[in-house]
Amino acid sequence: MGEHPDCALVRRACTAFSEGDLDTVATLITSDVVHHVPGDNAISGHHKGRDACMELYRTMSEETGGTMRTELETVMCDGRGHAMAVHRLRAERGNRGLDMKNGEFFTIVGGKITDIDECAENIDALNAFWGT
């Protein structure tokens, strides 16, 4: 039995993001996608729309000098348009490093990602890494 299409979509998006392939990421999300980033820091908040999300991803890459990587550990889905990814997030920014588990809850409609709700293993470390 093959992988569920929702899991395959999330896996493809996570792989593309980790490889810095933002062109592919853009094709996997809807024009009205929303990415919710937790915490109280420079990138936290609700990034609404494909353009805003792509700007977020470019900023994350630029601010980390391209060091941001996600190592996908598992993807799970409910078969009703929701998937969850757990991965290890690693990045460097100036004299700060980040190495923690992160989770993302995806909503999928029509074979595209419409919502990403992110959770961090350590919000305080995430806030310290990104600053205000």
Side-chain angles (χ1 to χ4, degrees):
M1 194 174 237
E3 184 174 46
H4 189 279
D6 291 346
C7 287
L9 172 67
V10 168
R11 187 175 305 281
R12 186 170 174 215
C14 290
T15 299
F17 176 83
S18 187
E19 293 173 350
D21 183 1
L22 298 184
D23 290 338
T24 294
V25 172
T27 68
L28 303 176
I29 59 179
T30 60
S31 62
D32 62 347
V33 65
V34 180
H35 188 145
H36 311 272
V37 179
D40 183 20
N41 59 67
I43 68 163
S44 62
H46 307 285
H47 303 270
K48 299 176 183 179
R50 182 184 293 126
D51 291 343
C53 289
M54 297 312 296
E55 181 61 28
L56 168 67
Y57 306 149
R58 281 190 290 277
T59 297
M60 293 166 78
S61 179
E62 289 169 6
E63 288 290 320
T64 63
T67 64
M68 180 167 280
R69 294 289 179 264
T70 58
E71 296 172 15
L72 192 59
E73 294 182 5
T74 191
V75 179
M76 302 165 274
C77 71
D78 66 1
R80 295 173 294 143
H82 302 105
M84 184 176 296
V86 177
H87 58 265
R88 179 150 297 279
L89 177 64
R90 290 188 171 102
E92 296 175 15
R93 182 171 182 248
N95 63 352
R96 296 176 230 158
L98 188 65
D99 184 354
M100 73 170 68
K101 282 192 176 182
N102 246 29
E104 293 174 327
F105 183 78
F106 295 84
T107 302
I108 299 161
V109 175
K112 296 216 178 203
I113 298 165
T114 64
D115 193 82
I116 306 165
D117 204 347
E118 187 175 329
C119 296
E121 180 178 52
N122 185 332
I123 295 263
D124 292 335
L126 191 70
N127 287 337
F129 181 79
W130 288 111
T132 54

